[in-house]
Amino acid sequence: MDTSVWTQDHAWAAETLESVNPATSEVIATFPVHGAAEVGAAVQRAREAAAWWAGLGYAQRRTRLLAWKSHLTRYLARLAELVHNETGKPLADAQLEIMLAIVHIDWAAKHARKVLGPRRVRSGLIAINQASLLEYQPLGVVGVIGPWNYPVFTPVGSIAYALAAGNAVVFKPSELTPAVGGWLVSSLREVVPEQPVLQLVTGGGETGQALALSGVDKIAFTGSAATAKKVMAACAENLTPLVAECGGKDALLVGADADLDAAADAAAWGGLSNAGQTCVGIERVYVAEEVYHSFLEKLAERAAAVRPGDDREADYGPMTMPAQVEIIERHIADALARGGRPVVGGLSSVSRPYVGPVILADVPEESRAVTEETFGPTLTVSPVRDLEEGVRRANDSSYALGSAVFSKNGRRALAAARSLRSGMTSVNSVIAFASVPALPFGGSGNSGFGRIHGADGLREFSRAKAITRQRMRPMADLTTLRRSDKDMNRVLQLITLLHGKRYR
Ligand code: NDP
């Protein structure tokens, strides 16, 4: 797809932004900076589209969304090239995130009716004269504000579920990845040409702010906790509900009985892939002390072999956002100043726009590299007595997004997984939960609130509608001004019979 179309389409825009390849600084395309008026007009158009789209019903929406999935699959190579150019990530990583997005569109399309469609529910003895119906209706227009690190997988996690639930979407991608955002919007238009059920607005934070203030029926935000607070404040103006998918400080726990090779592979990939620019990337590793040194050796060996670059053989690309490099430098410097030990790399690993792999051992828990999201290819590794202590340390964080546990003892691993406060945990792998569309995705604390993906993700973009239909007159009518004492006593007796039993 020729992305220059976006430049021509919006030649009238007063202000523009350039999308730039972070590895080569080459300009990919120019986009308008949309202000409140343009955002408001898009939301207005979306209102009409939403009514049309909701009216199509589940079956037709399913067909259209499956057609979108199929389009994305057939054009995967082109989209991956664009993701590679705009973010700098290796082509294979771009392909991987698109494949995951495809799986999510498929699931959302196929499960929307089952999860959201009308169903009868039991009315209970007290309301036995009522037929009760529950359904989940679309909200209307959903504003999606996306980040740049996974410019396909992350927004599609909201867009696909919002569309499957019957909403129209106005999407503001990060100013670093507007071309990928534009591609997604154009691709949906290929299969839904009648109405703009997915629209693109481009610009920086102010455009996002305008969308949050625009009176949409929900905002699905993915980004940092700091920005989420601003978005939430803007949403408060109209009591616009918000789902916030924010950052993480994910921990990987290694038990004494773990497969150390598998754990070291997972830590290396979870921490270093995509240059560590992954919300559910591993940033902290807690290892049972009996196996600490062997694990560290295996991890160091793997990390030392990793190389960033722009070529096809590189393991990961440049830092997409130049300003992030300073944060990474600060975290490494702070960890070393507090007595942390560099096992692989260190401050010298920073060579803009690239950051080589950095493994830091024995970093004090109060260091920034342990408490704040680094969002770079760095890992801290610390010894712990056992999995239980690992859980305690992992939970001692303002973030709670993802986590991983390695142990050959299934019962102990599951107990640890359950005790971890994070929204998602993978046992004996990393980030596996993101590839299971039936599982909800989201966190708590500084990692945000609400859920995308799965049945919870579909309900996140719906409003529950409860309907009762009176089938016959009640045995005892208590909701009338002509209520009798006899009826009241009858119901009181029934309630006592049903609920008055003592429980111990
Ligand atoms: P930011 O918080 O900087 O930005 C996120 C989005 O919000 C961007 O589109 C940004 O626009 C926009 N924005 C900025 N200011 C405002 C504002 N005042 N009002 C409304 N919108 C605004 O995050 P990044 O793009 O840097 O993404 C990285 C962060 O995202 C990390 O913390 C990462 O962990 C998190 N993340 C979380 C995921 C999850 O699912 N939990 C998945 C992926 C990333 P612009 O970029 O144009 O400034």
Side-chain angles (χ1 to χ4, degrees), residues 98-176:
I98 299 166
M99 287 192 278
L100 290 181
I102 287 166
V103 170
H104 279 280
I105 299 171
D106 181 66
W107 194 91
K110 289 179 178 164
H111 289 80
R113 184 205 288 272
K114 186 162 180 253
V115 174
L116 306 174
R119 81 217 45 189
R120 297 278 299 268
V121 297
R122 282 180 186 276
S123 299
L125 215 52
I126 293 296
I128 199 160
N129 63 316
Q130 303 284 345
S132 299
L133 191 73
L134 167 64
E135 65 187 42
Y136 293 86
Q137 299 178 344
L139 296 170
V141 180
V142 173
V144 172
I145 301 176
W148 45 265
N149 57 341
Y150 288 87
V152 177
F153 172 70
T154 294
V156 164
S158 295
I159 292 169
Y161 289 81
L163 289 174
N167 303 280
V169 173
V170 177
F171 172 35
K172 193 213 86 74
S174 164
E175 63 190 318
L176 300 179

XYZ file of all heavy atoms in Angstrom, residues 98-176:
599
model
N 1.874 -9.379 13.761
C 0.715 -9.380 12.852
C -0.032 -10.714 12.947
O -1.273 -10.749 12.978
C 1.151 -9.080 11.399
C 1.808 -7.705 11.317
C -0.057 -9.129 10.449
C 2.566 -7.444 10.031
N 0.735 -11.803 13.040
C 0.087 -13.127 13.169
C -0.784 -13.162 14.422
O -1.913 -13.652 14.398
C 1.144 -14.232 13.230
C 1.808 -14.483 11.901
S 2.770 -16.000 11.912
C 4.282 -15.492 12.662
N -0.259 -12.616 15.514
C -1.039 -12.613 16.763
C -2.301 -11.766 16.596
O -3.383 -12.136 17.054
C -0.198 -12.078 17.925
C 0.949 -12.971 18.399
C 1.685 -12.333 19.569
C 0.437 -14.340 18.813
N -2.161 -10.630 15.920
C -3.324 -9.750 15.709
C -4.395 -10.490 14.894
O -5.599 -10.403 15.191
C -2.892 -8.470 14.994
N -3.955 -11.248 13.898
C -4.889 -12.003 13.041
C -5.683 -13.007 13.883
O -6.905 -13.129 13.756
C -4.093 -12.720 11.912
C -3.636 -11.681 10.879
C -4.929 -13.823 11.252
C -2.584 -12.178 9.917
N -4.974 -13.694 14.781
C -5.623 -14.691 15.637
C -6.686 -14.014 16.524
O -7.764 -14.556 16.764
C -4.533 -15.404 16.493
C -5.162 -16.265 17.568
C -3.632 -16.258 15.603
N -6.390 -12.813 16.975
C -7.350 -12.091 17.823
C -8.568 -11.626 17.025
O -9.694 -11.697 17.518
C -6.668 -10.908 18.518
C -5.910 -11.335 19.729
N -6.522 -11.573 20.940
C -4.605 -11.612 19.919
C -5.624 -11.977 21.825
N -4.443 -12.009 21.231
N -8.364 -11.141 15.811
C -9.519 -10.717 14.998
C -10.436 -11.915 14.776
O -11.661 -11.838 14.912
C -9.066 -10.129 13.632
C -8.196 -8.890 13.833
C -10.292 -9.759 12.774
C -7.539 -8.372 12.557
N -9.805 -13.052 14.457
C -10.562 -14.282 14.203
C -11.407 -14.651 15.427
O -12.600 -14.931 15.317
C -9.550 -15.399 13.878
C -10.225 -16.718 13.562
O -10.908 -16.767 12.533
O -10.081 -17.682 14.342
N -10.790 -14.622 16.590
C -11.504 -15.037 17.812
C -12.647 -14.067 18.131
O -13.772 -14.491 18.430
C -10.534 -15.112 18.998
C -11.116 -15.846 20.161
C -11.007 -17.177 20.412
C -11.932 -15.299 21.216
N -11.693 -17.496 21.561
C -12.275 -16.375 22.076
C -12.395 -14.031 21.515
C -13.057 -16.210 23.218
C -13.180 -13.855 22.648
C -13.509 -14.931 23.482
N -12.340 -12.773 18.042
C -13.367 -11.767 18.378
C -14.558 -11.917 17.432
O -15.722 -11.897 17.862
C -12.775 -10.362 18.286
N -14.258 -12.107 16.125
C -15.340 -12.235 15.141
C -16.197 -13.462 15.433
O -17.427 -13.406 15.346
C -14.742 -12.348 13.732
N -15.541 -14.570 15.786
C -16.268 -15.827 15.950
C -16.973 -15.959 17.297
O -17.834 -16.822 17.443
C -15.315 -17.010 15.746
C -14.887 -17.160 14.293
C -13.944 -18.318 14.130
C -13.555 -18.495 12.663
N -12.380 -19.340 12.520
N -16.586 -15.177 18.288
C -17.164 -15.365 19.626
C -18.094 -14.241 20.086
O -18.681 -14.338 21.158
C -16.054 -15.567 20.655
C -15.373 -16.894 20.498
N -14.401 -17.115 19.545
C -15.559 -18.076 21.123
C -14.005 -18.368 19.608
N -14.691 -18.973 20.551
N -18.191 -13.182 19.285
C -18.972 -12.023 19.753
C -20.417 -12.410 20.080
O -20.941 -12.064 21.139
C -18.923 -10.907 18.718
N -21.052 -13.151 19.191
C -22.461 -13.468 19.428
C -22.617 -14.334 20.702
O -23.473 -14.066 21.535
C -23.055 -14.228 18.240
C -24.552 -14.479 18.420
C -25.024 -15.677 17.628
N -25.066 -15.440 16.201
C -26.103 -14.929 15.547
N -27.188 -14.600 16.215
N -26.056 -14.762 14.254
N -21.744 -15.318 20.825
C -21.848 -16.230 21.965
C -21.658 -15.467 23.290
O -22.373 -15.701 24.260
C -20.786 -17.322 21.818
C -20.885 -18.398 22.833
C -20.121 -19.643 22.369
C -20.235 -20.719 23.412
N -19.019 -20.938 24.155
N -20.703 -14.554 23.298
C -20.390 -13.848 24.550
C -21.401 -12.730 24.823
O -21.787 -12.495 25.968
C -18.952 -13.263 24.478
C -18.646 -12.404 25.704
C -17.927 -14.381 24.351
N -21.813 -12.040 23.775
C -22.582 -10.804 23.973
C -24.065 -10.938 23.629
O -24.872 -10.099 24.046
C -21.991 -9.678 23.114
C -20.491 -9.409 23.285
C -20.027 -8.378 22.265
C -20.190 -8.910 24.691
N -24.392 -11.948 22.848
C -25.752 -12.050 22.320
C -26.794 -12.288 23.403
O -26.465 -12.652 24.534
N -28.073 -12.088 23.058
C -29.147 -12.226 24.035
C -29.236 -13.638 24.598
O -29.021 -14.606 23.876
C -30.410 -11.917 23.229
C -29.973 -11.456 21.900
C -28.536 -11.766 21.715
N -29.493 -13.736 25.873
C -29.702 -15.047 26.505
C -30.716 -14.915 27.633
O -30.828 -13.850 28.248
C -28.386 -15.597 27.054
C -28.018 -15.027 28.399
C -26.576 -14.787 28.614
N -25.918 -14.145 27.488
C -24.610 -13.995 27.407
N -23.851 -14.459 28.357
N -24.065 -13.358 26.393
N -31.433 -16.006 27.874
C -32.355 -16.044 29.007
C -31.552 -16.337 30.255
O -30.625 -17.129 30.228
C -33.377 -17.173 28.800
C -34.274 -16.989 27.588
C -35.444 -16.072 27.886
N -36.305 -16.616 28.949
C -37.372 -17.377 28.728
N -37.709 -17.691 27.487
N -38.110 -17.812 29.720
N -31.901 -15.689 31.357
C -31.282 -16.060 32.632
C -32.392 -16.432 33.613
O -33.541 -15.987 33.453
C -30.390 -14.931 33.221
C -29.234 -14.625 32.307
C -31.198 -13.660 33.505
N -32.082 -17.254 34.604
C -33.088 -17.680 35.574
C -33.546 -16.489 36.400
O -32.739 -15.688 36.850
C -32.503 -18.734 36.510
C -32.425 -20.098 35.891
C -31.817 -21.066 36.914
N -31.595 -22.356 36.314
C -32.545 -23.287 36.212
N -33.754 -23.063 36.685
N -32.289 -24.437 35.633
N -34.842 -16.409 36.623
C -35.376 -15.261 37.373
C -35.355 -15.505 38.875
O -35.419 -14.552 39.653
C -36.809 -14.972 36.926
O -36.810 -14.658 35.554
N -35.288 -16.748 39.316
C -35.302 -17.021 40.758
C -36.721 -17.101 41.278
O -37.674 -16.634 40.641
N -36.825 -17.688 42.452
C -38.149 -17.990 42.997
C -38.979 -16.729 43.269
O -40.182 -16.678 43.005
C -37.958 -18.796 44.299
C -39.009 -19.855 44.568
C -39.174 -20.781 43.373
C -38.616 -20.654 45.808
N -38.324 -15.702 43.787
C -39.030 -14.475 44.158
C -39.612 -13.781 42.926
O -40.637 -13.109 42.996
C -38.059 -13.529 44.923
C -37.689 -14.161 46.271
C -38.607 -12.129 45.101
C -38.851 -14.322 47.221
N -38.924 -13.921 41.789
C -39.387 -13.244 40.560
C -39.803 -14.284 39.519
O -39.627 -14.076 38.320
C -38.275 -12.358 40.022
N -40.383 -15.373 39.987
C -40.680 -16.505 39.095
C -41.679 -16.140 37.992
O -41.734 -16.766 36.939
C -41.168 -17.712 39.930
C -41.021 -18.996 39.110
C -42.606 -17.525 40.416
C -41.006 -20.235 39.954
N -42.436 -15.067 38.211
C -43.416 -14.633 37.195
C -42.761 -13.828 36.069
O -43.435 -13.403 35.134
C -44.504 -13.784 37.858
C -43.918 -12.515 38.439
O -42.865 -12.544 39.067
N -44.585 -11.386 38.225
N -41.430 -13.576 36.156
C -40.742 -12.760 35.142
C -39.906 -13.648 34.219
O -39.290 -14.614 34.682
C -39.783 -11.762 35.808
C -40.410 -10.823 36.818
C -41.214 -9.705 36.157
O -41.095 -9.458 34.949
N -42.049 -9.033 36.946
N -39.879 -13.302 32.936
C -38.883 -13.887 32.030
C -37.733 -12.882 31.983
O -37.972 -11.676 31.823
C -39.476 -14.064 30.643
N -36.495 -13.348 32.157
C -35.360 -12.413 32.245
C -34.404 -12.611 31.085
O -34.014 -13.739 30.768
C -34.618 -12.612 33.567
O -35.504 -12.354 34.629
N -34.018 -11.497 30.480
C -33.173 -11.509 29.287
C -31.950 -10.643 29.541
O -32.063 -9.539 30.088
C -33.981 -10.926 28.120
C -33.392 -11.091 26.738
C -33.520 -12.546 26.284
C -34.101 -10.181 25.743
N -30.792 -11.160 29.160
C -29.547 -10.376 29.292
C -28.896 -10.298 27.925
O -28.815 -11.303 27.204
C -28.600 -11.074 30.275
C -27.150 -10.579 30.309
C -27.063 -9.129 30.787
C -26.304 -11.480 31.207
N -28.441 -9.111 27.562
C -27.640 -8.989 26.344
C -26.631 -7.861 26.512
O -26.776 -7.015 27.409
C -28.521 -8.754 25.112
C -29.270 -7.452 25.110
C -30.253 -7.354 23.941
O -30.935 -8.363 23.664
O -30.319 -6.279 23.318
N -25.615 -7.864 25.680
C -24.570 -6.831 25.753
C -24.621 -6.020 24.462
O -24.345 -6.549 23.388
C -23.203 -7.478 25.954
C -23.083 -8.134 27.306
C -23.523 -9.444 27.510
C -22.568 -7.434 28.394
C -23.433 -10.036 28.755
C -22.480 -8.021 29.647
C -22.913 -9.324 29.814
O -22.836 -9.907 31.054
N -24.967 -4.768 24.608
C -25.146 -3.921 23.417
C -23.894 -3.084 23.166
O -23.144 -2.789 24.104
C -26.347 -3.000 23.641
C -27.636 -3.774 23.853
C -28.816 -2.854 24.130
O -28.637 -1.677 24.448
N -30.017 -3.394 24.020
N -23.694 -2.668 21.914
C -22.522 -1.828 21.644
C -22.620 -0.490 22.379
O -23.717 0.000 22.662
C -22.573 -1.616 20.132
C -23.851 -2.192 19.643
C -24.464 -3.006 20.722
N -21.446 0.082 22.655
C -21.420 1.387 23.340
C -21.714 2.520 22.362
O -22.285 3.527 22.722
C -20.039 1.611 23.966
C -19.632 0.630 25.067
C -18.164 0.826 25.424
C -20.510 0.828 26.288
N -21.267 2.355 21.120
C -21.431 3.412 20.106
C -20.098 3.657 19.423
O -19.681 2.900 18.555
N -19.387 4.706 19.871
C -18.094 5.037 19.266
C -16.986 4.869 20.311
O -17.075 5.420 21.407
C -18.079 6.482 18.721
C -16.723 6.809 18.105
C -19.199 6.680 17.703
N -15.985 4.106 19.947
C -14.850 3.887 20.852
C -13.627 4.606 20.282
O -13.330 4.494 19.090
C -14.557 2.373 20.995
C -13.277 2.132 21.790
C -15.738 1.650 21.650
N -12.952 5.366 21.126
C -11.697 6.013 20.727
C -10.544 5.123 21.161
O -10.470 4.735 22.329
N -9.685 4.759 20.220
C -8.533 3.906 20.550
C -7.261 4.742 20.414
O -6.998 5.327 19.364
C -8.483 2.664 19.625
C -7.188 1.870 19.837
C -9.696 1.754 19.875
N -6.504 4.824 21.496
C -5.223 5.556 21.481
C -4.116 4.520 21.659
O -4.090 3.809 22.661
C -5.177 6.602 22.625
C -6.319 7.605 22.478
C -3.822 7.317 22.635
C -6.432 8.615 23.611
N -3.246 4.419 20.659
C -2.277 3.310 20.653
C -0.844 3.755 20.846
O -0.502 4.910 20.593
N 0.005 2.812 21.256
C 1.435 3.094 21.368
C 2.167 2.680 20.100
O 1.554 2.194 19.154
C 1.841 2.200 22.541
C 1.033 0.971 22.323
C -0.261 1.402 21.660
N 3.483 2.817 20.115
C 4.280 2.572 18.915
C 5.002 1.237 18.952
O 5.498 0.773 17.940
C 5.325 3.691 18.763
C 6.005 4.008 20.061
C 5.645 5.010 20.929
C 7.093 3.317 20.686
N 6.446 4.973 22.046
C 7.353 3.940 21.920
C 7.882 2.222 20.328
C 8.343 3.527 22.796
C 8.882 1.801 21.196
C 9.103 2.457 22.415
N 5.093 0.604 20.127
C 5.997 -0.552 20.235
C 5.463 -1.803 19.534
O 6.224 -2.589 18.994
C 6.360 -0.836 21.695
C 5.147 -1.068 22.568
O 4.032 -0.704 22.215
N 5.352 -1.661 23.716
N 4.127 -1.980 19.573
C 3.477 -3.058 18.798
C 2.327 -2.397 18.051
O 1.179 -2.476 18.469
C 2.994 -4.188 19.718
C 4.141 -4.983 20.266
C 4.789 -4.594 21.431
C 4.615 -6.089 19.571
C 5.889 -5.300 21.907
C 5.712 -6.803 20.038
C 6.343 -6.403 21.204
O 7.431 -7.098 21.661
N 2.621 -1.689 16.959
C 1.627 -0.817 16.346
C 0.475 -1.557 15.662
O -0.515 -0.934 15.295
C 2.432 -0.010 15.329
C 3.597 -0.891 14.997
C 3.916 -1.657 16.260
N 0.604 -2.900 15.519
C -0.502 -3.701 14.980
C -1.181 -4.463 16.115
O -2.367 -4.298 16.373
C -0.006 -4.702 13.901
C -1.158 -5.573 13.413
C 0.620 -3.950 12.736
N -0.413 -5.273 16.808
C -0.986 -6.171 17.814
C -1.729 -5.395 18.911
O -2.845 -5.758 19.287
C 0.146 -7.009 18.441
C -0.305 -7.825 19.602
C -1.136 -8.918 19.415
C 0.070 -7.496 20.904
C -1.571 -9.678 20.494
C -0.363 -8.243 21.982
C -1.185 -9.343 21.776
N -1.121 -4.335 19.400
C -1.721 -3.629 20.539
C -3.034 -2.937 20.180
O -4.053 -3.211 20.819
C -0.690 -2.657 21.145
O 0.354 -3.455 21.700
C -1.282 -1.822 22.228
N -3.078 -2.072 19.169
C -4.372 -1.445 18.871
C -5.432 -2.433 18.392
O -6.610 -2.283 18.709
C -4.059 -0.400 17.802
C -2.734 -0.761 17.260
C -2.005 -1.501 18.334
N -4.998 -3.466 17.640
C -5.975 -4.455 17.157
C -6.620 -5.179 18.341
O -7.796 -5.555 18.292
C -5.324 -5.436 16.153
C -6.187 -6.671 15.941
C -5.100 -4.735 14.812
N -5.875 -5.318 19.439
C -6.437 -5.932 20.650
C -7.634 -5.170 21.178
O -8.488 -5.739 21.845
N -7.716 -3.890 20.890
C -8.911 -3.100 21.241
C -9.851 -2.982 20.044
O -11.059 -3.184 20.168
C -8.514 -1.685 21.695
O -7.775 -1.746 22.882
N -9.282 -2.659 18.860
C -10.115 -2.372 17.685
C -10.972 -3.586 17.302
O -12.188 -3.468 17.102
C -9.227 -1.944 16.479
C -8.586 -0.572 16.750
C -10.044 -1.903 15.183
C -7.493 -0.183 15.753
N -10.357 -4.777 17.224
C -11.101 -5.965 16.779
C -12.239 -6.273 17.730
O -13.350 -6.614 17.307
C -10.160 -7.167 16.669
N -11.975 -6.162 19.022
C -12.999 -6.514 20.014
C -14.097 -5.442 20.034
O -15.276 -5.756 20.175
C -12.347 -6.713 21.393
C -11.510 -7.984 21.425
C -10.208 -8.022 20.911
C -12.042 -9.169 21.918
C -9.458 -9.190 20.904
C -11.303 -10.356 21.924
C -10.019 -10.355 21.414
O -9.279 -11.530 21.405
N -13.706 -4.171 19.882
C -14.709 -3.103 19.852
C -15.603 -3.243 18.618
O -16.828 -3.096 18.698
C -14.029 -1.731 19.867
N -14.995 -3.556 17.460
C -15.784 -3.722 16.227
C -16.687 -4.950 16.328
O -17.864 -4.910 15.963
C -14.862 -3.857 15.007
C -14.110 -2.596 14.555
C -13.137 -2.944 13.433
C -15.073 -1.497 14.091
N -16.137 -6.051 16.838
C -16.934 -7.279 16.942
C -18.142 -7.054 17.855
O -19.193 -7.659 17.656
C -16.075 -8.418 17.466
N -17.966 -6.177 18.834
C -19.079 -5.881 19.757
C -20.087 -4.919 19.137
O -21.100 -4.602 19.766
C -18.535 -5.328 21.064
N -19.791 -4.411 17.927
C -20.767 -3.585 17.221
C -20.513 -2.089 17.285
O -21.380 -1.290 16.932
N -19.316 -1.693 17.741
C -18.990 -0.262 17.823
C -18.251 0.209 16.578
O -17.630 -0.601 15.878
C -18.044 -0.019 19.014
C -18.622 -0.504 20.313
O -19.446 0.172 20.911
N -18.212 -1.687 20.762
N -18.271 1.516 16.338
C -17.349 2.123 15.380
C -16.152 2.636 16.183
O -16.254 2.870 17.386
C -18.016 3.271 14.641
N -15.009 2.785 15.498
C -13.771 3.150 16.206
C -13.111 4.353 15.526
O -13.034 4.421 14.300
C -12.785 1.951 16.215
C -11.435 2.352 16.784
C -13.364 0.776 17.004
N -12.658 5.286 16.338
C -11.774 6.356 15.854
C -10.419 6.082 16.496
O -10.309 6.002 17.718
C -12.294 7.755 16.241
C -11.311 8.827 15.772
C -13.676 7.993 15.629
N -9.418 5.900 15.659
C -8.113 5.408 16.118
C -7.033 6.470 15.971
O -6.806 6.984 14.886
C -7.782 4.155 15.279
C -6.393 3.602 15.452
C -5.727 3.635 16.664
C -5.749 3.001 14.362
C -4.455 3.111 16.806
C -4.479 2.469 14.494
C -3.828 2.528 15.709
N -6.376 6.758 17.088
C -5.202 7.634 17.015
C -3.951 6.825 17.356
O -3.708 6.476 18.505
C -5.293 8.814 17.998
C -4.218 9.841 17.662
C -3.650 10.589 18.816
C -2.518 9.965 19.557
N -1.197 9.959 18.923
N -3.174 6.486 16.336
C -1.933 5.756 16.621
C -0.895 6.707 17.206
O -1.077 7.933 17.169
C -1.500 5.266 15.237
C -2.107 6.224 14.275
C -3.339 6.803 14.913
N 0.180 6.153 17.717
C 1.287 6.994 18.190
C 1.809 7.826 17.026
O 1.787 7.380 15.874
C 2.401 6.101 18.724
O 3.598 6.843 18.836
N 2.323 8.998 17.342
C 2.880 9.832 16.270
C 4.123 9.180 15.651
O 4.583 9.582 14.593
C 3.209 11.224 16.791
C 4.274 11.266 17.856
C 4.400 12.632 18.499
O 4.357 13.637 17.777
O 4.527 12.677 19.738
N 4.659 8.141 16.326
C 5.813 7.435 15.773
C 5.409 6.364 14.752
O 6.241 5.907 13.974
C 6.631 6.777 16.893
C 7.211 7.719 17.950
C 7.982 6.941 19.002
C 8.121 8.762 17.312
